[in-house]
Amino acid sequence: MNKKSAEPRVQEQLCRDVERVLFSADEIQDRVRGLGKQIDERYAGKELLLIAILKGSVVFIADLMRAITIPHEVDFLATSSYGASTSSTGIVRILKDLNEPIGGRHALLVEDIIDSGHTLAYLTRLFSARNPASLEVVTLLDKPSRREVEIDLFWTGFSVPDEFVIGYGLDFNQKYRNLPYIGVLKSEVYQPGSE
Ligand code: PRP
């Protein structure tokens, strides 16, 4: 194979709208495996239900569920809070509720990122009222500098600075979710004229 054809893989096909890579695909896989092991230990012998908050967590849960070796089920909930804006409105809409009741089950909410905390604050209130045996949260990314409401996070993959992050499920205007790494979006993409 000549050098030219190998180049895109070496550079992880760095998208031209990415300012820099924060976490490579390999770093993410290592961290997800670590989280899977911790979840295995905590929920051994329990009826675990993973609840993915769509759409951002779809890539994370796909890898996380394969890193978990104990038997478990998955369900999906769709919310919307951001629209086409880059900051949270604090208003959470349920676009699709869970398929199954969670009463008496050990529910683990799976998020891609916690920013203001409004989405999870709302969802933990909503799900607590359904009487699960336990309710905890795992997020791949945490942006603590943006927090507006307190959240009890059980597991966090990585802490991120207050920058616009994309890839591995995270989007801007529904794009970039397919990047295999997590990167910072160039500001001129979401603030045209800022370059
Ligand atoms: C993102 C993310 C979280 C939420 C976090 O979802 O997936 O659910 O925002 O923000 P918060 O802590 O400020 O509430 P978004 O509404 O962008 O939808 P998406 O997952 O479909 O991209």
Side-chain angles (χ1 to χ4, degrees), residues 50-122:
L50 296 182
I51 299 174
I53 316 301
L54 298 174
K55 303 174 194 167
S57 66
V58 71
V59 181
F60 179 37
I61 196 172
D63 284 340
L64 184 67
M65 64 189 285
R66 286 176 292 178
I68 295 172
T69 63
I70 60 169
H72 64 273
E73 293 182 28
V74 294
D75 205 344
F76 298 89
L77 180 103
T79 64
S80 179
S81 59
Y82 277 33
S85 149
T86 58
S87 61
S88 178
T89 56
I91 297 166
V92 178
R93 280 192 304 144
I94 303 289
L95 303 178
K96 179 215 164 290
D97 206 336
L98 300 177
N99 288 358
E100 303 286 336
I102 62 168
R105 304 168 80 182
H106 293 272
L108 180 59
L109 301 183
V110 180
E111 264 288 23
D112 55 330
I113 188 164
I114 317 279
D115 193 310
S116 69
H118 286 296
T119 304
L120 268 182
Y122 177 83

Side-chain angles (χ1 to χ4, degrees), residues 86 172 186-195:
T86 58
F172 171 62
K186 285 182 182 166
S187 59
E188 61 259 35
V189 178
Y190 58 91
Q191 289 173 331
S194 68
E195 66 269 43

